[in-house]
Amino acid sequence: MAATLFAPQTVTAATLKVCYDQWPPMTMFPTTDDPRRGVVIDMVTDIYQQAGYQVELTEVPYARGMEMVSDGQCDMLPEKEYSPLVQRGFVYANVPTFRYPTAFVVRHGDHWRFDGVGSLRERRVATGIGWNYSSINPDYQAYLDDPRNAHKVELMTGDNDVVPRIFKMIAGGRVDVYADNALVLEYIRAEMGLENQLDIVTPDLGGLLVEMPIFSSQIPQAERDRLIAIWDQGRQAISGDSLGAYLARYGVSQTLTNR
């Protein structure tokens, strides 16, 4: 990236409090064996450190992270699906982290394919608390939210293991279908060694999953506008070879984020 985009107006560097959830390889909780934090967290850290900020990272479940941003405990959450009609306690940036392709996970050899919500009949679908697909396919989200379908929707809770647990449940026959970012699906399947047990299939949900940073409405507007501008300009500057370098740290091909 280029030279510093902005610098805080105080002698002591300002601190940016970032909450994020586990969504590898984009956002990852570090472990003793693997201290990496994910493609998007690497970007956020570099962008704001170059602007003179100290970055304080907190690992939380997705729904909890949104709550902490809304009530001002965190300044930002780096990736939330873009749902312009739902903005409570936060403001979106203008530049997405990524626009992701989506796909479904099924058991190996399952010939099921998504063809609208009618194709979900007799299927058990998994999702997580706070996850929302309405920006891609509002009918799919409405199906998940419909109380009449509660017996066919497995709502998963947890901190950093929700998607791996869903994968195990599909492989074990406890649920049948799960939709997500195709890049995340492929990464986790490979990490778990389940290529022979799970298939990643399309048609997808019908659109790209647009993920945007959100910033707390508790931040004074002038500072919030400044933080958003830093992100917007910093993310726009990451393209081509520089974007490829971020992805390569996690063995991800740039084509997977743009197909």
Side-chain angles (χ1 to χ4, degrees):
M1 288 177 58
T4 299
L5 300 167
F6 294 87
Q9 298 173 351
T10 56
V11 175
T12 303
T15 298
L16 179 73
K17 297 180 180 180
V18 179
C19 289
Y20 75 96
D21 60 296
Q22 173 89 334
W23 204 42
M26 311 319 294
T27 55
M28 298 167 57
F29 293 177
T31 65
T32 302
D33 296 330
D34 188 352
R36 299 177 300 169
R37 290 185 179 267
V39 176
V40 172
I41 300 303
D42 289 353
M43 288 181 173
V44 167
T45 301
D46 289 348
I47 287 170
Y48 285 101
Q49 284 183 345
Q50 288 195 22
Y53 285 80
Q54 296 179 355
V55 178
E56 179 181 299
L57 300 168
T58 302
E59 303 94 25
V60 294
Y62 179 65
R64 177 60 181 149
M66 287 192 291
E67 292 175 359
M68 293 177 72
V69 170
S70 294
D71 64 22
Q73 295 183 63
C74 287
D75 299 320
M76 76 174 293
L77 185 141
E79 287 204 298
K80 180 192 179 300
E81 80 288 341
Y82 181 57
S83 302
L85 298 180
V86 182
Q87 297 188 41
R88 294 175 297 198
F90 63 85
V91 176
Y92 284 104
N94 300 301
V95 177
T97 55
F98 288 98
R99 294 179 173 88
Y100 298 109
T102 58
F104 286 87
V105 173
V106 298
R107 277 180 294 284
H108 179 63
D110 188 339
H111 297 295
W112 176 89
R113 298 295 182 267
F114 182 67
D115 185 22
V117 294
S119 63
L120 297 173
R121 189 174 299 119
E122 307 305 325
R123 294 279 160 169
R124 293 161 295 172
V125 184
T127 189
I129 290 181
W131 301 359
N132 194 294
Y133 302 86
S134 58
S135 62
I136 318 168
N137 190 317
D139 290 340
Y140 184 80
Q141 186 61 44
Y143 178 89
L144 299 180
D145 293 339
D146 191 332
R148 294 172 296 180
N149 300 324
H151 65 291
K152 295 186 289 186
V153 176
E154 186 73 26
L155 188 61
M156 303 290 291
T157 62
D159 293 342
N160 62 349
D161 63 344
V162 173
V163 179
R165 283 165 47 213
I166 290 173
F167 276 34
K168 290 178 181 178
M169 290 174 71
I170 295 175
R174 296 173 59 193
V175 294
D176 303 307
V177 175
Y178 172 64
D180 206 330
N181 170 354
L183 187 154
V184 169
L185 298 179
E186 293 180 2
Y187 182 89
I188 294 179
R189 184 180 65 167
E191 287 288 298
M192 296 180 69
L194 294 176
E195 292 92 335
N196 296 325
Q197 298 182 54
L198 300 177
D199 293 340
I200 298 172
V201 300
T202 55
D204 61 12
L205 281 167
L208 293 176
L209 174 60
V210 179
E211 292 281 336
M212 306 278 280
I214 58 172
F215 294 82
S216 178
S217 296
Q218 300 293 327
I219 303 171
Q221 183 173 347
E223 175 62 12
R224 187 174 64 244
D225 289 347
R226 177 185 182 81
L227 292 172
I228 291 174
I230 292 171
W231 166 261
D232 289 344
Q233 293 183 31
R235 179 62 183 91
Q236 286 177 324
I238 300 174
S239 61
D241 290 344
S242 62
L243 175 58
Y246 278 102
L247 296 170
R249 298 175 190 175
Y250 298 87
V252 176
S253 168
Q254 189 165 339
T255 59
L256 289 177
T257 65
N258 297 293
R259 66 184 180 184

